[in-house]
Amino acid sequence: MVEFAGHSVSVRHDGQGPAIVLIHGYPLDGAMWSSVARRLADRFRVWKPDLPGRVDNPTSAEGSMSSYADFVQAVIDSADSPVGLAGFSMGGYVAFELMKRRPAPVKALALVDTRAASDDEMGKANRQAAIATVRAEGLGPIAEAMLPKLLSADGMKRADLLERVRRIILRQSPQTMESDLTAMRDRSDSSDLLPLLSLPTLVVAGEHDVISPPGEGRAMAQKISGARFVEIAGAGHLTPMEKPAAVAQALGEFFERALSPKS
Ligand code: MLT
């Protein structure tokens, strides 16, 4: 249980070993990490919390990255040990917000299919249009618009994967999606943070990611001292669901080295 905003929030975690916390993206919840978490749980204690306003987290979503970061901070504090933190896409934006506060327990950082830049004017207008859609029509059109951006062309042909991603999206509440879109629209630029990061960092991107393309991931890694970059072959944006074995291998090797007592 994690105490947050006057609630006791049940946060799923599994396995034994050093603690790692996996933060999900939009328009998703912690279940997007399930296949990766299962593979890591033989060596790590793995948390994959739902951010506020989702299935296992009844606290209200406040529409800001800093409120999401407050919640992740509470999860990290509950682990009561050094942690490795991985943020996927919007989860990476939350991780950047948290890293600006230099949280002592975070010993290693994985930035998965994410970007440091904030939204430009066009990006902000697109968020506003998505907010109008979600208010007027709910999650259906959001799911259909997002699926081809989340998955590669090959991923879109896998009926089981498509169904799993669609199911996660359709169970989100319109209010929470409006909160995510507002938080992403208004997030601050984190580019200046990159050269200041002084902890082991891994950057991961899918070969065919159209939301945070691998070229941007590689450039981001070059701005972080000592960071490694791993490209996930054959995957789109949603690498943890499309290629969980490759993502688990990259994260497992990285966190094992970075969180070992000798490092
Ligand atoms: C995500 O995958 O979390 C979002 O698509 C990121 C974004 O839209 O900027």
Side-chain angles (χ1 to χ4, degrees):
M1 284 292 172
V2 172
E3 298 306 319
F4 184 70
H7 290 262
S8 293
V9 182
S10 139
V11 178
R12 288 161 285 184
H13 67 93
D14 208 3
Q16 295 292 330
I20 55 181
V21 177
L22 309 172
I23 318 172
H24 66 79
Y26 161 88
L28 302 161
D29 59 38
M32 63 149 279
W33 283 110
S34 294
S35 301
V36 171
R38 220 174 10 254
R39 287 170 165 88
L40 293 173
D42 60 346
R43 285 170 287 165
F44 299 97
R45 251 183 325 149
V46 187
W47 275 257
K48 49 180 179 59
D50 289 336
L51 289 171
R54 274 152 261 248
V55 193
D56 272 346
N57 187 342
T59 62
S60 67
E62 304 285 345
S64 70
M65 283 307 153
S66 69
S67 64
Y68 289 168
D70 290 343
F71 173 70
V72 175
Q73 179 73 63
V75 174
I76 289 170
D77 291 345
S78 81
D80 199 23
S81 69
V83 302
L85 184 66
F88 166 77
S89 201
M90 182 183 78
Y93 310 156
V94 177
F96 282 132
E97 190 60 37
L98 198 62
M99 294 315 295
K100 288 173 189 164
R101 307 174 187 177
R102 298 172 187 267
V106 178
K107 299 295 182 211
L109 176 66
L111 300 166
V112 183
D113 298 278
T114 194
R115 52 212 299 262
S118 55
D119 281 4
D120 59 15
E121 287 313 309
M122 170 78 89
K124 286 182 199 291
N126 290 340
R127 303 289 188 202
Q128 214 43 51
I131 289 172
T133 302
V134 91
R135 277 185 192 160
E137 299 171 66
L139 269 299
I142 297 289
E144 297 321 307
M146 283 303 289
L147 283 165
K149 295 186 193 159
L150 292 171
L151 300 175
S152 69
D154 281 349
M156 288 295 286
K157 292 185 197 138
R158 288 168 52 192
D160 57 329
L161 174 64
L162 211 51
E163 232 9 77
R164 259 182 295 135
V165 182
R166 187 180 275 122
R167 201 174 334 120
I168 295 177
I169 298 175
L170 292 179
R171 72 182 173 214
Q172 307 310 322
S173 83
Q175 293 77 13
T176 300
M177 294 305 95
E178 182 166 345
S179 166
D180 285 8
L181 288 159
T182 306
M184 290 193 288
R185 181 196 65 197
D186 297 344
R187 75 187 190 280
S188 57
D189 197 287
S190 296
S191 307
D192 289 349
L193 178 70
L194 303 178
L196 303 178
L197 290 172
S198 58
L199 73 175
T201 303
L202 174 72
V203 179
V204 176
E207 181 187 7
H208 305 299
D209 188 341
V210 292
I211 295 179
S212 34
E216 206 167 331
R218 198 172 281 111
M220 185 160 74
Q222 281 164 359
K223 294 188 185 125
I224 304 170
S225 168
R228 280 193 57 226
F229 174 75
V230 173
E231 183 171 299
I232 305 295
H237 180 62
L238 189 44
T239 54
M241 289 189 75
E242 201 171 340
K243 298 283 179 191
V247 173
Q249 185 178 346
L251 294 185
E253 284 172 10
F254 168 67
F255 283 129
E256 207 152 54
R257 207 171 313 126
L259 298 176
S260 91
K262 283 178 256 121
S263 61

